[in-house]
PDB file of all heavy atoms in Angstrom:
ATOM      1  N   ASP A   1     134.125 134.293  89.559  1.00  0.00           N
ATOM      2  CA  ASP A   1     134.065 135.710  89.245  1.00  0.00           C
ATOM      3  C   ASP A   1     134.602 135.855  87.819  1.00  0.00           C
ATOM      4  O   ASP A   1     135.087 134.889  87.224  1.00  0.00           O
ATOM      5  CB  ASP A   1     134.939 136.496  90.239  1.00  0.00           C
ATOM      6  CG  ASP A   1     134.608 137.974  90.295  1.00  0.00           C
ATOM      7  OD1 ASP A   1     133.696 138.419  89.574  1.00  0.00           O
ATOM      8  OD2 ASP A   1     135.260 138.693  91.075  1.00  0.00           O
ATOM      9  N   PHE A   2     134.546 137.041  87.275  1.00  0.00           N
ATOM     10  CA  PHE A   2     135.064 137.283  85.939  1.00  0.00           C
ATOM     11  C   PHE A   2     136.548 136.891  85.890  1.00  0.00           C
ATOM     12  O   PHE A   2     137.327 137.324  86.742  1.00  0.00           O
ATOM     13  CB  PHE A   2     134.875 138.760  85.587  1.00  0.00           C
ATOM     14  CG  PHE A   2     135.119 139.082  84.163  1.00  0.00           C
ATOM     15  CD1 PHE A   2     134.260 138.609  83.181  1.00  0.00           C
ATOM     16  CD2 PHE A   2     136.195 139.838  83.794  1.00  0.00           C
ATOM     17  CE1 PHE A   2     134.469 138.912  81.854  1.00  0.00           C
ATOM     18  CE2 PHE A   2     136.431 140.145  82.469  1.00  0.00           C
ATOM     19  CZ  PHE A   2     135.563 139.672  81.487  1.00  0.00           C
ATOM     20  N   ASP A   3     136.945 136.070  84.943  1.00  0.00           N
ATOM     21  CA  ASP A   3     138.329 135.593  84.769  1.00  0.00           C
ATOM     22  C   ASP A   3     138.812 134.683  85.898  1.00  0.00           C
ATOM     23  O   ASP A   3     140.012 134.527  86.096  1.00  0.00           O
ATOM     24  CB  ASP A   3     139.332 136.753  84.638  1.00  0.00           C
ATOM     25  CG  ASP A   3     139.054 137.652  83.457  1.00  0.00           C
ATOM     26  OD1 ASP A   3     138.392 137.197  82.501  1.00  0.00           O
ATOM     27  OD2 ASP A   3     139.514 138.809  83.479  1.00  0.00           O
ATOM     28  N   HIS A   4     137.897 134.075  86.677  1.00  0.00           N
ATOM     29  CA  HIS A   4     138.274 133.193  87.780  1.00  0.00           C
ATOM     30  C   HIS A   4     137.518 131.862  87.705  1.00  0.00           C
ATOM     31  O   HIS A   4     136.619 131.597  88.507  1.00  0.00           O
ATOM     32  CB  HIS A   4     138.006 133.865  89.127  1.00  0.00           C
ATOM     33  CG  HIS A   4     138.937 134.978  89.428  1.00  0.00           C
ATOM     34  ND1 HIS A   4     138.759 136.241  88.932  1.00  0.00           N
ATOM     35  CD2 HIS A   4     140.066 135.008  90.163  1.00  0.00           C
ATOM     36  CE1 HIS A   4     139.751 137.012  89.359  1.00  0.00           C
ATOM     37  NE2 HIS A   4     140.553 136.283  90.117  1.00  0.00           N
ATOM     38  N   PRO A   5     137.901 130.988  86.742  1.00  0.00           N
ATOM     39  CA  PRO A   5     137.245 129.676  86.652  1.00  0.00           C
ATOM     40  C   PRO A   5     137.737 128.731  87.749  1.00  0.00           C
ATOM     41  O   PRO A   5     138.922 128.689  88.075  1.00  0.00           O
ATOM     42  CB  PRO A   5     137.636 129.168  85.269  1.00  0.00           C
ATOM     43  CG  PRO A   5     138.861 129.927  84.896  1.00  0.00           C
ATOM     44  CD  PRO A   5     138.845 131.209  85.655  1.00  0.00           C
ATOM     45  N   VAL A   6     136.781 127.991  88.321  1.00  0.00           N
ATOM     46  CA  VAL A   6     137.066 127.079  89.433  1.00  0.00           C
ATOM     47  C   VAL A   6     136.663 125.663  89.045  1.00  0.00           C
ATOM     48  O   VAL A   6     135.551 125.442  88.558  1.00  0.00           O
ATOM     49  CB  VAL A   6     136.279 127.506  90.694  1.00  0.00           C
ATOM     50  CG1 VAL A   6     136.438 126.490  91.807  1.00  0.00           C
ATOM     51  CG2 VAL A   6     136.714 128.874  91.154  1.00  0.00           C
ATOM     52  N   ILE A   7     137.564 124.707  89.256  1.00  0.00           N
ATOM     53  CA  ILE A   7     137.252 123.291  89.045  1.00  0.00           C
ATOM     54  C   ILE A   7     136.643 122.766  90.334  1.00  0.00           C
ATOM     55  O   ILE A   7     137.239 122.908  91.415  1.00  0.00           O
ATOM     56  CB  ILE A   7     138.515 122.475  88.720  1.00  0.00           C
ATOM     57  CG1 ILE A   7     139.211 123.028  87.483  1.00  0.00           C
ATOM     58  CG2 ILE A   7     138.167 120.993  88.540  1.00  0.00           C
ATOM     59  CD1 ILE A   7     140.584 122.444  87.243  1.00  0.00           C
ATOM     60  N   ILE A   8     135.462 122.173  90.250  1.00  0.00           N
ATOM     61  CA  ILE A   8     134.823 121.611  91.440  1.00  0.00           C
ATOM     62  C   ILE A   8     135.534 120.313  91.811  1.00  0.00           C
ATOM     63  O   ILE A   8     135.588 119.376  91.020  1.00  0.00           O
ATOM     64  CB  ILE A   8     133.329 121.355  91.199  1.00  0.00           C
ATOM     65  CG1 ILE A   8     132.604 122.687  90.947  1.00  0.00           C
ATOM     66  CG2 ILE A   8     132.709 120.623  92.386  1.00  0.00           C
ATOM     67  CD1 ILE A   8     131.153 122.539  90.588  1.00  0.00           C
ATOM     68  N   MET A   9     136.107 120.283  93.005  1.00  0.00           N
ATOM     69  CA  MET A   9     136.853 119.124  93.478  1.00  0.00           C
ATOM     70  C   MET A   9     136.025 118.260  94.425  1.00  0.00           C
ATOM     71  O   MET A   9     136.218 117.063  94.507  1.00  0.00           O
ATOM     72  CB  MET A   9     138.141 119.578  94.192  1.00  0.00           C
ATOM     73  CG  MET A   9     139.037 120.461  93.352  1.00  0.00           C
ATOM     74  SD  MET A   9     139.567 119.685  91.817  1.00  0.00           S
ATOM     75  CE  MET A   9     140.739 118.528  92.439  1.00  0.00           C
ATOM     76  N   GLN A  10     135.119 118.893  95.172  1.00  0.00           N
ATOM     77  CA  GLN A  10     134.279 118.172  96.128  1.00  0.00           C
ATOM     78  C   GLN A  10     132.926 118.861  96.168  1.00  0.00           C
ATOM     79  O   GLN A  10     132.848 120.095  96.181  1.00  0.00           O
ATOM     80  CB  GLN A  10     134.925 118.194  97.507  1.00  0.00           C
ATOM     81  CG  GLN A  10     134.179 117.413  98.553  1.00  0.00           C
ATOM     82  CD  GLN A  10     134.882 117.486  99.900  1.00  0.00           C
ATOM     83  OE1 GLN A  10     135.815 118.246 100.109  1.00  0.00           O
ATOM     84  NE2 GLN A  10     134.416 116.682 100.829  1.00  0.00           N
ATOM     85  N   LEU A  11     131.876 118.059  96.182  1.00  0.00           N
ATOM     86  CA  LEU A  11     130.522 118.592  96.182  1.00  0.00           C
ATOM     87  C   LEU A  11     129.655 117.722  97.072  1.00  0.00           C
ATOM     88  O   LEU A  11     129.647 116.504  96.920  1.00  0.00           O
ATOM     89  CB  LEU A  11     130.002 118.597  94.733  1.00  0.00           C
ATOM     90  CG  LEU A  11     128.683 119.276  94.481  1.00  0.00           C
ATOM     91  CD1 LEU A  11     128.806 120.121  93.228  1.00  0.00           C
ATOM     92  CD2 LEU A  11     127.616 118.250  94.296  1.00  0.00           C
ATOM     93  N   ASN A  12     128.981 118.338  98.020  1.00  0.00           N
ATOM     94  CA  ASN A  12     128.103 117.598  98.935  1.00  0.00           C
ATOM     95  C   ASN A  12     126.724 118.234  98.930  1.00  0.00           C
ATOM     96  O   ASN A  12     126.604 119.449  99.067  1.00  0.00           O
ATOM     97  CB  ASN A  12     128.663 117.620 100.363  1.00  0.00           C
ATOM     98  CG  ASN A  12     129.986 116.913 100.462  1.00  0.00           C
ATOM     99  OD1 ASN A  12     130.138 115.819  99.963  1.00  0.00           O
ATOM    100  ND2 ASN A  12     130.946 117.548 101.104  1.00  0.00           N
ATOM    101  N   SER A  13     125.702 117.398  98.798  1.00  0.00           N
ATOM    102  CA  SER A  13     124.322 117.864  98.874  1.00  0.00           C
ATOM    103  C   SER A  13     123.689 117.272 100.123  1.00  0.00           C
ATOM    104  O   SER A  13     123.643 116.054 100.277  1.00  0.00           O
ATOM    105  CB  SER A  13     123.540 117.409  97.648  1.00  0.00           C
ATOM    106  OG  SER A  13     124.093 117.974  96.491  1.00  0.00           O
ATOM    107  N   ALA A  14     123.230 118.144 101.003  1.00  0.00           N
ATOM    108  CA  ALA A  14     122.593 117.678 102.244  1.00  0.00           C
ATOM    109  C   ALA A  14     121.713 118.772 102.813  1.00  0.00           C
ATOM    110  O   ALA A  14     122.049 119.962 102.726  1.00  0.00           O
ATOM    111  CB  ALA A  14     123.652 117.285 103.265  1.00  0.00           C
ATOM    112  N   ARG A  15     120.599 118.386 103.367  1.00  0.00           N
ATOM    113  CA  ARG A  15     119.688 119.298 104.066  1.00  0.00           C
ATOM    114  C   ARG A  15     119.329 120.534 103.256  1.00  0.00           C
ATOM    115  O   ARG A  15     119.372 121.663 103.744  1.00  0.00           O
ATOM    116  CB  ARG A  15     120.265 119.715 105.402  1.00  0.00           C
ATOM    117  CG  ARG A  15     120.354 118.560 106.367  1.00  0.00           C
ATOM    118  CD  ARG A  15     120.766 119.046 107.754  1.00  0.00           C
ATOM    119  NE  ARG A  15     121.644 118.064 108.344  1.00  0.00           N
ATOM    120  CZ  ARG A  15     122.907 118.272 108.661  1.00  0.00           C
ATOM    121  NH1 ARG A  15     123.442 119.435 108.500  1.00  0.00           N
ATOM    122  NH2 ARG A  15     123.624 117.309 109.171  1.00  0.00           N
ATOM    123  N   GLY A  16     119.053 120.347 101.992  1.00  0.00           N
ATOM    124  CA  GLY A  16     118.606 121.463 101.169  1.00  0.00           C
ATOM    125  C   GLY A  16     119.671 122.449 100.765  1.00  0.00           C
ATOM    126  O   GLY A  16     119.367 123.586 100.406  1.00  0.00           O
ATOM    127  N   SER A  17     120.941 122.047 100.812  1.00  0.00           N
ATOM    128  CA  SER A  17     122.017 122.934 100.375  1.00  0.00           C
ATOM    129  C   SER A  17     123.090 122.133  99.634  1.00  0.00           C
ATOM    130  O   SER A  17     123.188 120.917  99.769  1.00  0.00           O
ATOM    131  CB  SER A  17     122.645 123.670 101.562  1.00  0.00           C
ATOM    132  OG  SER A  17     123.303 122.760 102.405  1.00  0.00           O
ATOM    133  N   VAL A  18     123.882 122.845  98.855  1.00  0.00           N
ATOM    134  CA  VAL A  18     124.983 122.249  98.098  1.00  0.00           C
ATOM    135  C   VAL A  18     126.270 122.934  98.551  1.00  0.00           C
ATOM    136  O   VAL A  18     126.387 124.161  98.452  1.00  0.00           O
ATOM    137  CB  VAL A  18     124.787 122.436  96.577  1.00  0.00           C
ATOM    138  CG1 VAL A  18     125.950 121.860  95.806  1.00  0.00           C
ATOM    139  CG2 VAL A  18     123.478 121.811  96.116  1.00  0.00           C
ATOM    140  N   THR A  19     127.206 122.165  99.094  1.00  0.00           N
ATOM    141  CA  THR A  19     128.492 122.690  99.548  1.00  0.00           C
ATOM    142  C   THR A  19     129.547 122.349  98.503  1.00  0.00           C
ATOM    143  O   THR A  19     129.673 121.201  98.091  1.00  0.00           O
ATOM    144  CB  THR A  19     128.881 122.085 100.910  1.00  0.00           C
ATOM    145  OG1 THR A  19     127.826 122.348 101.841  1.00  0.00           O
ATOM    146  CG2 THR A  19     130.175 122.681 101.426  1.00  0.00           C
ATOM    147  N   ILE A  20     130.305 123.371  98.081  1.00  0.00           N
ATOM    148  CA  ILE A  20     131.277 123.198  97.001  1.00  0.00           C
ATOM    149  C   ILE A  20     132.667 123.592  97.472  1.00  0.00           C
ATOM    150  O   ILE A  20     132.859 124.648  98.080  1.00  0.00           O
ATOM    151  CB  ILE A  20     130.887 124.051  95.781  1.00  0.00           C
ATOM    152  CG1 ILE A  20     129.493 123.649  95.273  1.00  0.00           C
ATOM    153  CG2 ILE A  20     131.925 123.927  94.673  1.00  0.00           C
ATOM    154  CD1 ILE A  20     128.958 124.534  94.176  1.00  0.00           C
ATOM    155  N   HIS A  21     133.645 122.722  97.171  1.00  0.00           N
ATOM    156  CA  HIS A  21     135.071 122.997  97.358  1.00  0.00           C
ATOM    157  C   HIS A  21     135.716 122.902  95.985  1.00  0.00           C
ATOM    158  O   HIS A  21     135.332 122.056  95.178  1.00  0.00           O
ATOM    159  CB  HIS A  21     135.722 121.979  98.294  1.00  0.00           C
ATOM    160  CG  HIS A  21     135.298 122.121  99.711  1.00  0.00           C
ATOM    161  ND1 HIS A  21     134.108 121.638 100.195  1.00  0.00           N
ATOM    162  CD2 HIS A  21     135.911 122.721 100.759  1.00  0.00           C
ATOM    163  CE1 HIS A  21     134.011 121.908 101.480  1.00  0.00           C
ATOM    164  NE2 HIS A  21     135.090 122.577 101.851  1.00  0.00           N
ATOM    165  N   GLY A  22     136.707 123.752  95.719  1.00  0.00           N
ATOM    166  CA  GLY A  22     137.332 123.714  94.405  1.00  0.00           C
ATOM    167  C   GLY A  22     138.716 124.316  94.383  1.00  0.00           C
ATOM    168  O   GLY A  22     139.249 124.746  95.419  1.00  0.00           O
ATOM    169  N   ASN A  23     139.286 124.338  93.184  1.00  0.00           N
ATOM    170  CA  ASN A  23     140.590 124.945  92.909  1.00  0.00           C
ATOM    171  C   ASN A  23     140.451 125.814  91.670  1.00  0.00           C
ATOM    172  O   ASN A  23     139.711 125.459  90.746  1.00  0.00           O
ATOM    173  CB  ASN A  23     141.654 123.889  92.594  1.00  0.00           C
ATOM    174  CG  ASN A  23     142.077 123.084  93.783  1.00  0.00           C
ATOM    175  OD1 ASN A  23     141.706 123.369  94.903  1.00  0.00           O
ATOM    176  ND2 ASN A  23     142.847 122.050  93.533  1.00  0.00           N
ATOM    177  N   TYR A  24     141.169 126.929  91.638  1.00  0.00           N
ATOM    178  CA  TYR A  24     141.235 127.692  90.395  1.00  0.00           C
ATOM    179  C   TYR A  24     141.925 126.824  89.342  1.00  0.00           C
ATOM    180  O   TYR A  24     142.734 125.960  89.690  1.00  0.00           O
ATOM    181  CB  TYR A  24     142.022 128.987  90.589  1.00  0.00           C
ATOM    182  CG  TYR A  24     141.289 130.016  91.412  1.00  0.00           C
ATOM    183  CD1 TYR A  24     141.802 130.450  92.621  1.00  0.00           C
ATOM    184  CD2 TYR A  24     140.076 130.551  90.973  1.00  0.00           C
ATOM    185  CE1 TYR A  24     141.137 131.400  93.381  1.00  0.00           C
ATOM    186  CE2 TYR A  24     139.402 131.496  91.729  1.00  0.00           C
ATOM    187  CZ  TYR A  24     139.938 131.910  92.933  1.00  0.00           C
ATOM    188  OH  TYR A  24     139.271 132.834  93.674  1.00  0.00           O
ATOM    189  N   VAL A  25     141.633 127.062  88.077  1.00  0.00           N
ATOM    190  CA  VAL A  25     142.217 126.215  87.027  1.00  0.00           C
ATOM    191  C   VAL A  25     143.739 126.292  87.020  1.00  0.00           C
ATOM    192  O   VAL A  25     144.399 125.321  86.656  1.00  0.00           O
ATOM    193  CB  VAL A  25     141.651 126.543  85.625  1.00  0.00           C
ATOM    194  CG1 VAL A  25     140.172 126.224  85.560  1.00  0.00           C
ATOM    195  CG2 VAL A  25     141.909 127.965  85.223  1.00  0.00           C
ATOM    196  N   TRP A  26     144.319 127.408  87.433  1.00  0.00           N
ATOM    197  CA  TRP A  26     145.776 127.524  87.434  1.00  0.00           C
ATOM    198  C   TRP A  26     146.402 126.822  88.636  1.00  0.00           C
ATOM    199  O   TRP A  26     147.603 126.608  88.659  1.00  0.00           O
ATOM    200  CB  TRP A  26     146.220 128.984  87.373  1.00  0.00           C
ATOM    201  CG  TRP A  26     145.658 129.860  88.437  1.00  0.00           C
ATOM    202  CD1 TRP A  26     146.131 130.016  89.708  1.00  0.00           C
ATOM    203  CD2 TRP A  26     144.506 130.694  88.329  1.00  0.00           C
ATOM    204  NE1 TRP A  26     145.344 130.891  90.408  1.00  0.00           N
ATOM    205  CE2 TRP A  26     144.331 131.334  89.585  1.00  0.00           C
ATOM    206  CE3 TRP A  26     143.598 130.970  87.317  1.00  0.00           C
ATOM    207  CZ2 TRP A  26     143.302 132.225  89.832  1.00  0.00           C
ATOM    208  CZ3 TRP A  26     142.574 131.857  87.564  1.00  0.00           C
ATOM    209  CH2 TRP A  26     142.435 132.474  88.800  1.00  0.00           C
ATOM    210  N   GLU A  27     145.602 126.427  89.610  1.00  0.00           N
ATOM    211  CA  GLU A  27     146.132 125.678  90.759  1.00  0.00           C
ATOM    212  C   GLU A  27     146.227 124.187  90.453  1.00  0.00           C
ATOM    213  O   GLU A  27     146.865 123.448  91.191  1.00  0.00           O
ATOM    214  CB  GLU A  27     145.219 125.856  91.984  1.00  0.00           C
ATOM    215  CG  GLU A  27     145.209 127.242  92.551  1.00  0.00           C
ATOM    216  CD  GLU A  27     144.250 127.381  93.708  1.00  0.00           C
ATOM    217  OE1 GLU A  27     143.100 126.917  93.619  1.00  0.00           O
ATOM    218  OE2 GLU A  27     144.674 127.971  94.720  1.00  0.00           O
ATOM    219  N   ARG A  28     145.564 123.766  89.381  1.00  0.00           N
ATOM    220  CA  ARG A  28     145.461 122.345  89.013  1.00  0.00           C
ATOM    221  C   ARG A  28     144.933 121.560  90.209  1.00  0.00           C
ATOM    222  O   ARG A  28     144.274 122.088  91.077  1.00  0.00           O
ATOM    223  CB  ARG A  28     146.802 121.789  88.530  1.00  0.00           C
ATOM    224  CG  ARG A  28     147.433 122.560  87.411  1.00  0.00           C
ATOM    225  CD  ARG A  28     146.791 122.224  86.122  1.00  0.00           C
ATOM    226  NE  ARG A  28     147.482 122.937  85.037  1.00  0.00           N
ATOM    227  CZ  ARG A  28     147.033 122.997  83.843  1.00  0.00           C
ATOM    228  NH1 ARG A  28     145.931 122.390  83.527  1.00  0.00           N
ATOM    229  NH2 ARG A  28     147.686 123.657  82.927  1.00  0.00           N
ATOM    230  N   ALA A  29     145.209 120.288  90.264  1.00  0.00           N
ATOM    231  CA  ALA A  29     144.712 119.465  91.372  1.00  0.00           C
ATOM    232  C   ALA A  29     145.787 119.270  92.437  1.00  0.00           C
ATOM    233  O   ALA A  29     145.629 118.462  93.331  1.00  0.00           O
ATOM    234  CB  ALA A  29     144.243 118.119  90.838  1.00  0.00           C
ATOM    235  N   THR A  30     146.893 120.004  92.338  1.00  0.00           N
ATOM    236  CA  THR A  30     148.008 119.792  93.259  1.00  0.00           C
ATOM    237  C   THR A  30     147.770 120.412  94.632  1.00  0.00           C
ATOM    238  O   THR A  30     148.218 119.890  95.627  1.00  0.00           O
ATOM    239  CB  THR A  30     149.310 120.363  92.677  1.00  0.00           C
ATOM    240  OG1 THR A  30     149.107 121.756  92.402  1.00  0.00           O
ATOM    241  CG2 THR A  30     149.706 119.647  91.413  1.00  0.00           C
ATOM    242  N   GLY A  31     147.064 121.524  94.664  1.00  0.00           N
ATOM    243  CA  GLY A  31     146.830 122.189  95.943  1.00  0.00           C
ATOM    244  C   GLY A  31     145.598 121.654  96.644  1.00  0.00           C
ATOM    245  O   GLY A  31     144.770 120.961  96.067  1.00  0.00           O
ATOM    246  N   LYS A  32     145.500 121.976  97.909  1.00  0.00           N
ATOM    247  CA  LYS A  32     144.332 121.578  98.681  1.00  0.00           C
ATOM    248  C   LYS A  32     143.145 122.418  98.202  1.00  0.00           C
ATOM    249  O   LYS A  32     143.254 123.633  98.050  1.00  0.00           O
ATOM    250  CB  LYS A  32     144.592 121.815 100.161  1.00  0.00           C
ATOM    251  CG  LYS A  32     143.463 121.378 101.042  1.00  0.00           C
ATOM    252  CD  LYS A  32     143.786 121.614 102.500  1.00  0.00           C
ATOM    253  CE  LYS A  32     142.589 121.215 103.332  1.00  0.00           C
ATOM    254  NZ  LYS A  32     142.772 121.539 104.737  1.00  0.00           N
ATOM    255  N   SER A  33     142.011 121.769  98.004  1.00  0.00           N
ATOM    256  CA  SER A  33     140.836 122.515  97.557  1.00  0.00           C
ATOM    257  C   SER A  33     140.334 123.407  98.689  1.00  0.00           C
ATOM    258  O   SER A  33     140.544 123.132  99.865  1.00  0.00           O
ATOM    259  CB  SER A  33     139.748 121.571  97.074  1.00  0.00           C
ATOM    260  OG  SER A  33     139.340 120.694  98.083  1.00  0.00           O
ATOM    261  N   TRP A  34     139.686 124.475  98.324  1.00  0.00           N
ATOM    262  CA  TRP A  34     139.204 125.445  99.297  1.00  0.00           C
ATOM    263  C   TRP A  34     137.686 125.568  99.183  1.00  0.00           C
ATOM    264  O   TRP A  34     137.075 125.184  98.206  1.00  0.00           O
ATOM    265  CB  TRP A  34     139.893 126.797  99.117  1.00  0.00           C
ATOM    266  CG  TRP A  34     140.038 127.227  97.689  1.00  0.00           C
ATOM    267  CD1 TRP A  34     141.096 126.983  96.874  1.00  0.00           C
ATOM    268  CD2 TRP A  34     139.081 127.948  96.913  1.00  0.00           C
ATOM    269  NE1 TRP A  34     140.857 127.502  95.626  1.00  0.00           N
ATOM    270  CE2 TRP A  34     139.623 128.100  95.624  1.00  0.00           C
ATOM    271  CE3 TRP A  34     137.827 128.471  97.172  1.00  0.00           C
ATOM    272  CZ2 TRP A  34     138.948 128.766  94.608  1.00  0.00           C
ATOM    273  CZ3 TRP A  34     137.153 129.130  96.148  1.00  0.00           C
ATOM    274  CH2 TRP A  34     137.722 129.269  94.892  1.00  0.00           C
ATOM    275  N   PHE A  35     137.083 126.119 100.214  1.00  0.00           N
ATOM    276  CA  PHE A  35     135.638 126.247 100.342  1.00  0.00           C
ATOM    277  C   PHE A  35     135.143 127.371  99.438  1.00  0.00           C
ATOM    278  O   PHE A  35     135.481 128.535  99.638  1.00  0.00           O
ATOM    279  CB  PHE A  35     135.292 126.529 101.804  1.00  0.00           C
ATOM    280  CG  PHE A  35     133.832 126.721 102.090  1.00  0.00           C
ATOM    281  CD1 PHE A  35     132.956 125.654 102.056  1.00  0.00           C
ATOM    282  CD2 PHE A  35     133.339 127.976 102.411  1.00  0.00           C
ATOM    283  CE1 PHE A  35     131.605 125.826 102.341  1.00  0.00           C
ATOM    284  CE2 PHE A  35     132.005 128.170 102.700  1.00  0.00           C
ATOM    285  CZ  PHE A  35     131.130 127.090 102.660  1.00  0.00           C
ATOM    286  N   LEU A  36     134.350 127.016  98.425  1.00  0.00           N
ATOM    287  CA  LEU A  36     133.749 128.019  97.546  1.00  0.00           C
ATOM    288  C   LEU A  36     132.478 128.573  98.166  1.00  0.00           C
ATOM    289  O   LEU A  36     132.195 129.758  98.079  1.00  0.00           O
ATOM    290  CB  LEU A  36     133.457 127.413  96.172  1.00  0.00           C
ATOM    291  CG  LEU A  36     132.823 128.335  95.141  1.00  0.00           C
ATOM    292  CD1 LEU A  36     133.725 129.518  94.841  1.00  0.00           C
ATOM    293  CD2 LEU A  36     132.527 127.573  93.863  1.00  0.00           C
ATOM    294  N   GLY A  37     131.705 127.692  98.801  1.00  0.00           N
ATOM    295  CA  GLY A  37     130.506 128.185  99.458  1.00  0.00           C
ATOM    296  C   GLY A  37     129.443 127.124  99.651  1.00  0.00           C
ATOM    297  O   GLY A  37     129.568 125.987  99.197  1.00  0.00           O
TER     298      GLY A  37
END
């Protein structure tokens, strides 16, 4: 979203879709990544 950059931490492509998990840039890589969509 506006002012909400997300680092992609995990990406899976399967069955015609792309599943993305990430962290906001201010979370760094220390937190558990969350489901972007």
Side-chain angles (χ1 to χ4, degrees):
D1 199 0
F2 191 68
D3 300 337
H4 289 82
V6 174
I7 302 170
I8 296 175
M9 304 302 287
Q10 183 180 10
L11 188 136
N12 296 313
S13 297
R15 293 187 217 116
S17 66
V18 178
T19 304
I20 301 173
H21 290 80
N23 289 352
Y24 289 118
V25 295
W26 55 83
E27 292 177 314
R28 306 282 183 191
T30 57
K32 182 179 177 186
S33 60
W34 43 269
F35 179 72
L36 180 61

